[in-house]
Amino acid sequence: MLIALNKLEVKMKTINKMISFICLTAILVVVTLIGAPVAEAAKKPIVVGVLSWMDLDVGKSTLRGAQLAAEMINAKGGILGRPIKVISADTKGLPDEGVKGFEYLVTRGKADIVTGIFADAVLAAVIPRLDEYKVPLLTTADPYYKAAEMVHENYDKYKGWFRVMPMNDYYLGMAVMEMTDQVIVKELGWNKIVIFREKAAWTEAIVGMIKEEFPKMGIEIKDDIVFPVGETNFSPYYRQAVRHNPDMIFALVAEAGISPVLQYVRFKPGIPLGGIITPAQVPEFLEDMGGDAGNIFTMTPICHNAKIDSETKRFIDLWTKKFKTRPTKPDYAGIGTSWAVEIYAEAAKRAGTLEFNRMVTELEKTDLKRMWRIQFFGRDEKDPVFGMNWPHDLRYSIDHAYSMLVQWQGKDMYAIWPDKFAVKSYVNPPWMKKQ
């Protein structure tokens, strides 16, 4: 009887061990099955979608800025342990193409963030799509101030938009006025100008401010010379300017491209040319000008030859080593887009998730210190200069987002104003006698 009981006890222990083994195996299988998607999700890339006009230098620079920022962040472990993948879409400068590109990036491309955009009309067309696609949109190449107004009027719909670069149109106008007072009037002593501009909506807005504010600074506007965007012969316009014997030609050139400034150098009037000249903001401007940039000077958001912080310098150095084709140096959009990706990465780190509302909350807390200090206006905060509500737009001041005056000297462009960024002083074109 005792032997029988002992055998039964041994048998029961064996059965219990088998049951325990089976249960443990089942648990491990379940954990493995649950863990597999988690591990897979951890490896899944975070997708940065770049939306810009890819035929232009600004579009290429925007894409490369995102790519290089992704490489730098991936080298440090990525975002929340996941690598960054960069994809792109071309707007061709058209609103409809911009909307198509945005939808492609967030639907088929599965973009977690979209950045870039160059051209007011494209930005205006894309922002309304944020109501349907809850994806952060950090723009880096357009100053369209109404984007911030759209967020103010419909915050819950459009709160995913943030501007990282450049300053909005109002602030750009303010920067022009401050530069004119400090450089043109006080430093150079010029008090007679001729306006030379393309016929376009953006020049009308700025010229209105110029005609109102310049006389208050003691500047006499001798003429307002307007040419069609498609003009090819600028000699008559320069002859008209020279007849007034001004101290400078204040140019507003963007859509007309390189022709107006190229013909300035060929004409060689004894008058400096400066203002807002978009072609001169491009690092390859000297190449476009056939090797003679004519000491042209222009307002621009940022420049690679300026007093810059160590992180931005490192970024520029990496760019010049990596990219051997145009653009070989980053413009404002390239640098701004790298900041946008970095801002997004830091916000995700603070949030611990990519959930849209959490990300918006953390993006609103942004405080990135580079050449600029990037901070955004809050939902109900008024801009201290104009008293406007511009939520998620850049704060403007010499200590935040600002602008600079750069001049082409020799083979490159250099910041000449303000002192915070300047590395050189103004120099007249070489064919002018007075230096």
Side-chain angles (χ1 to χ4, degrees):
M1 183 68 177
L2 184 58
I3 293 172
L5 288 172
N6 285 338
K7 286 182 178 180
L8 180 61
E9 185 178 352
V10 170
K11 193 172 184 178
M12 290 298 296
K13 286 181 178 180
T14 301
I15 292 170
N16 287 338
K17 286 180 180 180
M18 290 177 66
I19 292 171
S20 298
F21 176 77
I22 292 168
C23 290
L24 179 60
T25 301
I27 291 170
L28 289 172
V29 169
V30 170
V31 169
T32 301
L33 290 173
I34 294 173
V38 174
E40 187 65 27
K43 295 177 184 177
K44 183 181 176 182
I46 288 176
V47 180
V48 173
V50 175
L51 183 64
S52 194
W53 195 345
M54 295 302 175
D55 283 344
L56 304 184
D57 284 333
V58 68
K60 295 181 180 73
S61 190
T62 300
L63 179 57
R64 288 182 175 182
Q67 291 170 334
L68 189 51
E71 287 184 19
M72 295 170 72
I73 294 170
N74 284 342
K76 297 178 181 179
I79 299 177
L80 302 179
R82 295 164 58 185
I84 302 173
K85 174 184 175 182
V86 178
I87 62 174
S88 65
D90 189 357
T91 69
K92 299 180 176 64
L94 302 173
D96 289 347
E97 291 296 325
V99 171
K100 288 178 186 176
F102 179 78
E103 291 178 342
Y104 164 78
L105 292 173
V106 298
T107 56
R108 296 184 62 184
K110 306 297 182 184
D112 298 289
I113 165 185
V114 175
T115 186
I117 300 187
F118 176 77
D120 291 0
V122 174
L123 181 53
V126 168
I127 286 182
R129 309 308 294 155
L130 294 178
D131 186 31
E132 180 178 354
Y133 303 105
K134 304 298 183 183
V135 174
L137 173 63
L138 278 61
T139 57
T140 58
D142 193 271
Y144 187 55
Y145 77 92
K146 289 189 177 180
E149 290 187 351
M150 293 172 73
V151 179
H152 173 62
E153 293 166 3
N154 292 283
Y155 178 83
D156 290 332
K157 288 184 176 181
Y158 308 138
K159 64 184 179 182
W161 173 83
F162 293 82
R163 193 196 321 271
V164 178
M165 179 83 75
M167 304 177 302
N168 72 34
D169 307 278
Y170 274 76
Y171 289 143
L172 177 58
M174 267 206 69
V176 169
M177 298 306 122
E178 291 170 0
M179 179 279 294
T180 300
D181 178 57
Q182 295 174 30
V183 179
I184 293 176
V185 176
K186 293 177 180 175
E187 180 182 332
L188 299 175
W190 296 344
N191 56 25
K192 294 181 295 181
I193 72 161
V194 166
I195 299 171
F196 172 78
R197 63 184 174 101
E198 62 189 36
K199 186 175 178 59
W202 77 274
T203 70
E204 291 290 342
I206 292 179
V207 164
M209 188 179 293
I210 286 173
K211 289 182 176 179
E212 180 179 350
E213 297 297 327
F214 276 25
K216 297 177 184 177
M217 303 178 200
I219 297 176
E220 182 182 0
I221 300 172
K222 304 294 289 186
D223 202 348
D224 179 10
I225 300 172
V226 184
F227 58 86
V229 168
E231 181 61 79
T232 57
N233 180 17
F234 292 91
S235 295
Y237 300 100
Y238 286 123
R239 290 193 187 96
Q240 181 179 342
V242 169
R243 283 198 294 268
H244 293 289
N245 192 30
D247 294 313
M248 75 166 288
I249 299 172
F250 199 101
L252 301 174
V253 179
E255 297 172 29
I258 198 73
S259 291
V261 285
L262 184 61
Q263 291 187 41
Y264 164 80
V265 171
R266 290 174 180 170
F267 190 80
K268 288 183 170 54
I271 307 165
L273 180 75
I276 302 175
I277 306 169
T278 301
Q281 298 172 349
V282 177
E284 276 73 20
F285 179 64
L286 184 69
E287 176 186 333
D288 296 338
M289 293 288 286
D292 186 355
N295 288 65
I296 286 169
F297 55 100
T298 181
M299 297 292 288
T300 188
I302 209 160
C303 172
H304 55 275
N305 285 323
K307 293 174 185 174
I308 57 179
D309 62 281
S310 59
E311 281 298 312
T312 303
K313 184 179 186 306
R314 176 170 169 261
F315 174 81
I316 293 171
D317 290 343
L318 288 172
W319 182 298
T320 56
K321 289 177 182 177
K322 181 178 178 64
F323 301 117
K324 302 304 179 184
T325 59
R326 181 173 183 154
T328 56
K329 295 174 184 175
D331 63 9
Y332 72 94
I335 293 173
T337 303
S338 75
W339 290 350
V341 176
E342 186 176 358
I343 286 167
Y344 181 83
E346 290 299 313
K349 182 179 178 181
R350 293 193 300 270
T353 177
L354 299 185
E355 193 275 323
F356 177 72
N357 289 312
R358 291 278 297 279
M359 283 298 296
V360 168
T361 298
E362 293 304 323
L363 286 167
E364 289 178 332
K365 299 175 185 176
T366 292
D367 188 3
L368 181 71
K369 298 179 180 68
R370 291 292 180 266
M371 285 181 70
W372 293 357
R373 182 180 183 184
I374 304 294
Q375 290 183 309
F376 304 117
F377 285 116
R379 178 176 182 176
D380 299 313
E381 187 177 6
K382 284 188 180 293
D383 143 70
V385 179
F386 297 101
M388 306 285 281
N389 287 105
W390 285 327
H392 299 181
D393 210 340
L394 284 168
R395 293 181 182 275
Y396 169 85
S397 78
I398 188 66
D399 296 317
H400 285 88
Y402 207 60
S403 190
M404 61 179 69
L405 185 66
V406 301
Q407 184 180 30
W408 281 87
Q409 298 182 16
K411 296 183 178 181
D412 214 338
M413 68 168 91
Y414 300 89
I416 62 172
W417 175 88
D419 290 342
K420 180 177 181 178
F421 302 124
V423 293
K424 290 199 175 189
S425 299
Y426 171 82
V427 177
N428 274 332
W431 59 80
M432 287 183 63
K433 293 179 181 179
K434 185 179 178 180
Q435 293 289 328

